[in-house]
DNA sequence: ATTTTACTACTGACTGGTCGGTCTATTCAA
DNA sequence: TTGAATAGACCGACCAGTCAGTAGTAAAAT
């Protein structure tokens, strides 16, 4: 059993994993610009400066590449949710933390997120099922914060499902309008959104 | 110059326009289910029960069909904004009216809206420019309500651009989660969203 | 009343080209 | 000398769009 060439359980070296990672990231950019279905594997080869053989050596198939981009987004989103949960605080603070973490992912991985929110219907079979499960898991985490807030009396009684839809839409949709390095920073947007959602926009009476 | 066969300025009869309308609507459904790029013109023929010749006799090209679906959505959205403006009221009432009209379009034309929000990057040249202009025009209308509210003191001072992005995201994103005939009615969702946005979710102190 | 003309509405075979993916051959590092 | 890494020719399938032809019908001409 050789020890110099270290391989993981899929039988691939760390070097292979790193190169694959690079290719996934570069391809996400192309998908974000042209769309998944509209991007040919030949274009992916050009963007990565490699031939078809090398491309398929790393990605397996076009759909597996798409799934890898989705995984990357969900990994980051879940990590952000973990950090927000670890920070603790009142339901209001929890919600603000969750929002800032989500916006942070959207600003740090704009291409991946674009692909994630646009081309998920192209996933089939097991890939689609995995995607749906992870997405649902995240939505449940958000919903539980709303439920806690209602129970503790911090939030007024409300339909938590509708609140989740409103909150997710408000944050996710920024991938269309806001970019890193643009007019607003993550913290500014997160603050403004948390204020609107928690306190509303009406003047106090 | 014959008078019996009535044609419009494009030289097409009312009958032709009606049939085209049917084909646009049926095609929107297929695009929503399978995606614009993933749908072949042969599939569109099958869905409409016609051959290639007839399809192109009515649609001109695949992209013109896509543009027609976009026009249909924007026409309805603008009509809704007109109705909301005509109803008048305070900035708060204006905003609530605008939200209900927008959600109404999303519930009445779920397929068209799905295509509108998913496949707009496939529009090119003049089609893309027209789409962008109309979208911007609508966003300006929404923003002006926020500006009026801030000026009148009904709304607290806020960045109106960020507020528009938050408001649009909250409403538009429902196309993913909410369907007509589902658990919630348009009025329920509109009410819940207006309450959250205007008053926030925190309990009053 | 009947033929001719003109035009709408439509078919489906066909075209040039592109697609995702495979395969054989080759390079190169260890 | 072995196997990881790579190129690019190649494959069958499928793509958007075209075209020659035609059935049906309403208007015009006879």
């Amino acid at each position: 059993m050789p020890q110099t060439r270290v391989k993981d359980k899929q039988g691939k070296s760390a070097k292979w994993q790193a190169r694959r990672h690079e290719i996934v990231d570069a391809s996400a950019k192309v998908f974000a610009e042209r769309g998944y279905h509209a991007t040919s594997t030949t274009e992916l080869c050009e963007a990565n400066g490699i031939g078809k053989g090398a491309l398929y050596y790393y990605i397996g198939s076009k759909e597996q590449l798409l799934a890898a981009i989705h995984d990357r987004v969900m990994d980051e989103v879940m990590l952000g949710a973990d950090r927000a949960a670890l920070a603790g605080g009142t339901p209001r603070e929890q919600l603000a933390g969750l929002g800032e973490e989500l916006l942070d992912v959207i600003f740090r991985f704009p291409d991946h997120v674009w692909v994630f929110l646009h081309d998920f219907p192209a996933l089939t079979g097991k890939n689609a099922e995995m995607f749906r499960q992870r997405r649902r898991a995240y939505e449940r985490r958000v919903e539980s914060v709303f439920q806690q807030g209602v129970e503790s009396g911090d939030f007024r009684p409300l339909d938590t499902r509708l609140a989740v839809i409103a909150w997710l839409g408000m944050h996710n949709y920024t991938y269309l309008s806001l970019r890193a390095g643009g007019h607003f920073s993550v913290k500014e947007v997160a603050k403004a959104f948390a204020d609107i959602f928690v306190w509303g926009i009406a003047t106090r009476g």
Side-chain angles (χ1 to χ4, degrees), chain A:
Chain A
M1 208 169 276
Q3 278 149 341
T4 42
R5 272 207 264 256
V6 184
K7 301 173 178 184
D8 70 0
K9 59 226 167 206
Q10 286 128 56
K12 300 296 181 178
S13 69
K15 192 183 158 196
W16 182 93
Q17 298 285 358
R19 185 80 183 99
R20 178 184 147 93
H21 204 263
E22 279 176 23
I23 290 170
V24 168
D25 285 353
S27 302
K29 197 177 177 187
V30 187
F31 282 159
E33 277 162 11
R34 313 242 309 106
Y36 172 74
H37 283 296
T39 304
S40 69
T41 52
T42 306
E43 283 175 288
L44 294 177
C45 289
E46 284 164 13
N48 284 286
I50 54 176
K52 285 266 190 104
L55 183 72
Y56 274 82
Y57 176 63
Y58 288 107
I59 69 165
S61 74
K62 202 184 171 189
E63 191 182 327
Q64 275 174 259
L65 172 58
L66 182 64
I69 295 170
H70 278 75
D71 282 340
R72 192 128 174 62
V73 173
M74 277 314 304
D75 287 348
E76 292 289 337
V77 166
M78 284 302 192
L79 273 174
D82 290 342
R83 274 191 299 269
L86 210 69
T90 64
R92 279 177 213 165
E93 288 163 348
Q94 285 272 322
L95 197 60
L98 221 42
E100 190 175 327
E101 291 286 355
L102 182 53
L103 288 171
D104 192 49
V105 174
I106 295 170
F107 273 64
R108 271 162 54 222
F109 301 93
D111 298 326
H112 298 69
V113 170
W114 178 287
V115 175
F116 177 86
L117 290 172
H118 256 77
D119 295 316
F120 67 88
L123 293 174
T124 63
K126 237 182 111 176
N127 290 134
E129 185 49 37
M130 180 81 84
F131 163 77
R132 253 180 267 126
Q133 271 179 26
R134 299 193 75 185
R135 189 158 168 159
R136 230 180 291 137
Y138 179 72
E139 289 180 14
R140 266 197 300 270
R141 290 184 74 156
V142 177
E143 188 158 6
S144 81
V145 173
F146 283 108
Q147 282 160 351
Q148 284 164 38
V150 171
E151 280 163 26
S152 69
D154 288 286
F155 301 157
R156 60 180 166 78
L158 40 78
D159 188 297
T160 53
R161 178 74 194 135
L162 276 185
V164 169
I165 290 170
W167 188 88
L168 280 176
M170 191 164 142
H171 289 81
N172 281 342
Y173 201 71
T174 55
Y175 82 99
L176 277 178
S177 336
L178 301 174
R179 298 259 131 186
H183 196 261
F184 301 103
S185 71
V186 169
K187 278 197 188 293
E188 280 171 344
V189 180
K191 176 74 164 55
F193 280 17
D195 282 348
I196 290 174
F197 208 89
V198 173
W199 297 112
I201 63 170
T203 46
R204 308 283 118 196

